[in-house]
Amino acid sequence: MVYQNKTITAITTPLGSGGVGVIRISGEDSLCILQKIFSKKPDQKLLPDFVPNMATHGWILDEVGLIDEVIAIYFKAPNSYTGEDVVEISCHGGINIVKNILNLTLNHGATMAERGEFTKRAFLNGKMDLSQAEAVLDVIHAKTDKFAKVSAHNLSGTLSTYINTLRHEIMELLAKITAAIDFPDDVAEPSYEFLEEKITTAINKIDKALSGAKSSNLMRQGLKIALIGQTNVGKSSLFNKLLNSQRAIVTSIAGTTRDVIQESLDIAGIPVTLMDTAGLRELCAQSESDYIEAIGIDFSRKCLEDADLVLFMYDLKKGIDKEDEEIIKEIGDKPHIKIGSKADLIEDLPQDVLCISTKTDTGIDELKKQIETMIINQNKIEDNEFSTNIRQQECLENAKIALNHALLGTQREELQDLISIDVKSALLNLNEITGEVMTDEILTHIFDQFCIGK
Ligand SMILES: Nc1nc2c(ncn2[C@@H]2O[C@H](COP(=O)(O)OP(=O)(O)OP(=O)(O)O)[C@@H](O)[C@H]2O)c(=O)[nH]1
Ligand SMILES: [Mg+2]
């Protein structure tokens, strides 16, 4: 059944100058609105026949004159993104052009779409389930190539298919238990061994879906790496090297970096924020410049606290001195890599530390490898078929709790009537993942994360 509602409109492409801008209209008045503003010719009103799914070239006109040359496509319900009649107008990507066309559609009866409303309608009209709708958000916002690819799998229904198969297996089990309860004279109770086997299988399947939870959360949230060390050890030089760009100022003056400079990197599919910080040193804050640097040093300490991984640097030529010892104490048991810098300036490199030079590139590849290995090992990242979000993970965890309870009941050979209550509860939790059971509150929470036009 198609979800009946007012006709909505929005700009679906980012606002800015670009090759193309797209305005999408969805609802039963879509075609009618297009016909009011479209013409095959720029100098006289001439309406074409809009054939569904075919691109039609023409012009958008308002009562005064020409707005732009466009391509319009009419998607007839239910064969559209939202499942309703949809019109997409591709115009030249100038901010004023897209805004003018949007305003025209509003003037002709469309209502401004809310955040995620196109995708919400697609879900409500059965064009996609809830986990697929959530995947739309992930595909759009993925910060790394790997996560974009994993999310595209969910968009295609990988998670939904897996959950649906599991749901059907649990439904069958439930049907067997309830048949025996409802018709005790005709249907035999399933054996407890049978129940135990089926429930254990279901729990294992939930564990498999949950196995990618940690890495998917990391791929969404990312993690922070801080470069920490005394002044002049070469933090900014390494920062620039890892980014492959001259992002931070490098000079031989101690105390060059004041503010925290941060940039994004993709390491093993995880979006990483790399932070270059002011060198840590004791200051008596006498001059104005000292005062500014002292603030920078406070920022460095905050970065050290926030970081998931610390790259601690010291100057190989000077060796580890008292101040370095203090910094090492501050790092404590936080995950870190100890790096000796300016390896090009000394002859005998120590074996117990990673020696690098940003001048000769000594040790840089090895450092990149160590960072990647630490991230992967510490976060126990494995390649997984499934990407899940926090909401889906909560549903899976709750389903697992209910099934574990059912398993306990089975092992204790409790009344099957009681066991069925837990099995049913697990099923309800799984239903929430794909959106079989849905409250307005959950829907609002999910689609509020979208932007307008999606
Ligand atoms: N020979 C040599 N010099 C280096 C190397 N790395 C950095 N330097 C020099 O060391 C000086 C300080 O480098 P920076 O990268 O600014 O050091 P920093 O740790 O960011 O310094 P602050 O911002 O003051 O804390 C500059 O003159 C760099 O050219 C290196 O690998 N070899
Ligand atoms: Mg610096």
Side-chain angles (χ1 to χ4, degrees):
M1 195 191 79
V2 169
Y3 169 71
Q4 291 295 328
N5 224 321
K6 56 194 189 243
T7 298
I8 50 169
T9 180
I11 301 166
T12 62
T13 41
L15 259 193
S17 306
V20 180
V22 177
I23 294 95
R24 184 188 274 159
I25 317 169
S26 177
E28 58 184 9
D29 297 334
S30 303
L31 182 60
C32 177
I33 293 172
L34 176 67
Q35 286 166 337
K36 285 181 187 156
I37 62 176
F38 189 94
S39 169
K40 255 202 107 48
K41 293 200 164 178
D43 46 5
Q44 69 182 96
K45 182 85 178 167
L46 185 65
L47 263 186
D49 283 334
F50 288 102
V51 182
N53 306 327
M54 295 281 285
T56 307
H57 169 263
W59 302 81
I60 296 292
L61 311 170
D62 65 9
E63 55 285 356
V64 187
L66 267 184
I67 303 264
D68 194 20
E69 184 178 15
V70 302
I71 298 286
I73 305 178
Y74 163 53
F75 301 93
K76 194 170 164 44
N79 300 319
S80 70
Y81 183 71
T82 59
E84 304 169 331
D85 272 0
V86 167
V87 161
E88 282 184 5
I89 303 168
S90 303
C91 58
H92 293 101
I95 297 180
N96 290 307
I97 298 171
V98 283
K99 279 189 175 168
N100 284 341
I101 298 177
L102 175 76
N103 285 337
L104 263 186
T105 61
L106 290 168
N107 293 343
H108 284 92
T111 310
M112 194 65 207
E114 288 171 12
R115 289 170 166 271
E117 197 170 357
F118 292 105
T119 309
K120 185 178 178 180
R121 289 187 178 196
F123 162 68
L124 292 171
N125 288 331
K127 298 297 287 187
M128 57 177 77
D129 71 23
L130 203 54
S131 67
Q132 286 172 306
E134 288 173 306
V136 172
L137 197 66
D138 285 337
V139 168
I140 294 170
H141 293 295
K143 294 193 192 107
T144 64
D145 180 46
K146 186 171 176 182
F147 191 50
K149 285 178 179 152
V150 173
S151 308
H153 273 284
N154 276 359
L155 191 60
S156 76
T158 307
L159 182 67
S160 320
T161 310
Y162 187 79
I163 298 296
N164 281 332
T165 311
L166 180 58
R167 282 179 46 232
H168 280 112
E169 285 164 9
I170 296 179
M171 269 190 262
E172 269 176 29
L173 178 66
L174 204 55
K176 280 206 165 69
I177 304 176
T178 27
I181 295 168
D182 292 345
F183 309 103
D185 298 335
D186 305 319
V187 184
E189 254 192 357
S191 72
Y192 283 96
E193 292 75 48
F194 174 84
L195 293 186
E196 191 170 338
E197 187 203 315
K198 291 287 174 196
I199 295 171
T200 308
T201 309
I203 292 172
N204 291 341
K205 287 190 175 174
I206 290 180
D207 279 339
K208 191 170 169 197
L210 277 170
S211 62
K214 200 156 183 189
S215 51
S216 20
N217 291 349
L218 259 181
M219 283 196 264
R220 244 181 228 102
Q221 292 154 11
L223 44 80
K224 292 180 180 160
I225 299 182
L227 279 153
I228 299 288
Q230 291 194 51
T231 54
N232 250 350
V233 291
K235 298 179 297 299
S236 301
S237 306
L238 178 59
F239 181 75
N240 289 344
K241 184 64 77 180
L242 293 173
L243 292 173
N244 216 2
S245 97
Q246 293 306 307
R247 172 70 179 82
I249 300 173
V250 169
T251 75
S252 57
I253 304 163
T256 301
T257 307
R258 304 290 175 89
D259 264 328
V260 176
I261 308 173
Q262 47 184 53
E263 284 294 333
S264 306
L265 273 179
D266 176 347
I267 301 179
I270 312 283
V272 167
T273 305
L274 185 65
M275 303 183 286
D276 181 23
T277 64
L280 297 177
R281 63 170 168 174
E282 282 305 317
L283 289 172
C284 7
Q286 280 169 346
S287 69
E288 283 182 356
S289 175
D290 281 353
Y291 178 67
I292 298 166
E293 193 181 340
I295 297 173
I297 291 174
D298 282 346
F299 282 178
S300 304
R301 294 216 152 86
K302 178 87 181 53
C303 283
L304 171 58
E305 233 176 84
D306 287 351
D308 300 285
L309 173 64
V310 174
L311 304 182
F312 162 66
M313 291 181 84
Y314 74 96
D315 191 326
L316 281 169
K317 211 165 172 192
K318 283 183 17 197
I320 293 196
D321 62 19
K322 259 182 113 181
E323 267 130 359
D324 291 315
E325 300 276 9
E326 284 301 313
I327 299 173
I328 292 170
K329 243 191 243 164
E330 279 188 53
I331 295 172
D333 51 12
K334 215 170 222 308
H336 65 274
I337 300 175
K338 196 160 139 194
I339 301 164
S341 68
K342 309 187 188 181
D344 54 296
L345 298 183
I346 64 162
E347 296 275 299
D348 292 322
L349 297 176
Q351 297 300 307
D352 58 341
V353 68
L354 176 63
C355 302
I356 65 150
S357 163
T358 53
K359 298 275 180 222
T360 61
D361 281 356
T362 304
I364 299 294
D365 284 341
E366 176 55 29
L367 173 63
K368 286 183 185 165
K369 253 188 247 156
Q370 278 201 24
I371 295 174
E372 186 165 331
T373 311
M374 273 194 86
I375 289 178
I376 292 174
N377 292 347
Q378 275 192 346
N379 298 293
K380 299 191 177 59
I381 297 172
E382 296 154 19
D383 270 334
N384 273 299
E385 274 172 81
F386 301 109
S387 151
T388 44
N389 62 27
I390 303 275
R391 186 192 74 84
Q392 294 158 351
Q393 286 156 26
E394 270 174 19
C395 297
L396 285 164
E397 294 286 1
N398 289 338
K400 192 175 155 183
I401 291 171
L403 285 178
N404 272 326
H405 209 247
L407 186 64
L408 203 69
T410 309
Q411 284 155 352
R412 289 185 184 149
E413 302 203 353
E414 282 174 2
L415 280 178
Q416 295 202 358
D417 208 354
L418 291 178
I419 295 170
S420 77
I421 295 173
D422 288 323
V423 177
K424 214 177 283 169
S425 153
L427 187 61
L428 290 178
N429 283 305
L430 293 177
N431 286 349
E432 271 186 40
I433 296 179
T434 46
E436 307 296 314
V437 192
M438 194 41 49
T439 64
D440 275 352
E441 199 187 347
I442 297 177
L443 275 189
T444 309
H445 172 75
I446 292 172
F447 290 102
D448 265 3
Q449 298 171 53
F450 282 65
C451 36
I452 290 171
K454 302 293 176 311

